[in-house]
Amino acid sequence: MATTPAATPPMLRRVNASKLLGVLSTAGVMTGTGLIEATGLTRATVHAVCNDLIAMGWVVELDPGHDAPGTPVGRPSRRFEFNSRAGYVLGIDVGASKTTVLLSDLRGETVAKAGRSFESVKTPGEQTAVVNEAVLEVIDTAGVTDAEVLAAGVGVAAPVDRQGNILVDDEFWRRFDAGLTNRLTELHGWPVLLENDANLATLGEHWRGEARDVDDLVVLLAGERFGSGLMDSGRLLHGSRGGAGEMVYLKLVEGVGDTAGIARTAREQGTKAVADAAVETSLRELADGSPITAELVFAAAADGDKVALGILRHIACRTARVLATLGILFNPELIVIGGAVATAAKALLPDIETQLATFTATPPRIAVSSLGDTIVSIGAVRHALNYVEQHALDLQLTGVRRTS
């Protein structure tokens, strides 16, 4: 029978520090009493841990506050504030066609953003070089040094287990096993935390998106390829090898047949329609000889083009089937459609909801993400911040800046 490790003083100190930082990082100025109420820790523990965090640069102690009128005269309350500029974290989305990098302070506020295309990339080494260019840009833009970056979260479109290893059973997934994390650590010195992109999108939505206060959640990345992140009672689900939420099973679902997402399906259906000379559609004029894109299909549908409207009806029905499988299997309160296609997906929502009700008697609530193409990067920032809070006592702060 497995045994639970004994709670040693160093372990308790680390847990308590993480708990206090988690509270302070989302609050404004707090008194010792407020921290006691928020954490359930004793007064002695709160003040002892705060003293440690002040000495290390994580927390700033402000001038003593004045107690409320009518309270007994005594020692003024100590007041504490999280030092959000004690360091920085990076959130990196490594997609199939581009990378998006955010640099954030320790409250998760974006300080700088950069992006790069993988259009001319042919090898894993070239991909890593492109990602590093974007990293260097955000660091330079913010005037931050490598030593001030405490961690980086990285999202890839492949299953990642709890130890940060990519599952490479599928040819598409193997493309992301490029040694990126080790290379970035070699170049910059900070820890790099690899995670599945849909899992990070779920963290991002739960933290800053449509799913705040929703703990039973699915986020469906629906651009080029369907992928889902699953959250049960506020906890991400990984599965034994990181494959929880992977959607290869869609090949077996009637009316779906593969993992092609909304953008890819719109592009392929639109290209097929334009190639047929017998089909009358405004897509030809809109494209004007250029390749058909998902954006053109949605634009043509908005102008009333019958072919484009038919494509969107097909996509809505297909997406509803995907959502129905997720709703039946995982019974979430909410499913959020996310990724670069999310804005366009708003036009599909009425049809999706109508169709969904025909596939399941208990359809989940559906929403469209407002985080746009930064959904994975924002989740990667949250992933890095979780690491920082858990390992605060191990991290060396250099050149600490004070919160203004």
Side-chain angles (χ1 to χ4, degrees), residues 98 220-226 261-266 294-295 298 312 315 319 337-348 368-369 371-373 375:
K98 67 175 184 177
L220 178 69
L221 292 183
E224 287 297 302
R225 196 169 187 262
F226 283 127
I262 290 173
R264 179 178 165 187
T265 303
E295 290 78 10
F298 278 93
L312 294 198
I315 290 173
T319 303
I337 301 172
V341 76
T343 300
K346 288 181 180 178
L348 302 173
V368 172
S369 175
L371 300 181
D373 65 355
I375 184 173

Side-chain angles (χ1 to χ4, degrees), residues 219-261:
V219 172
L220 178 69
L221 292 183
E224 287 297 302
R225 196 169 187 262
F226 283 127
S228 65
L230 314 174
M231 181 173 283
D232 181 75
S233 300
R235 181 176 62 88
L236 279 178
L237 301 183
H238 283 86
S240 63
R241 300 175 62 200
E246 284 302 324
M247 309 197 77
V248 179
Y249 75 88
L250 291 177
K251 296 176 182 179
L252 308 176
V253 177
E254 182 181 355
V256 181
D258 57 35
T259 60

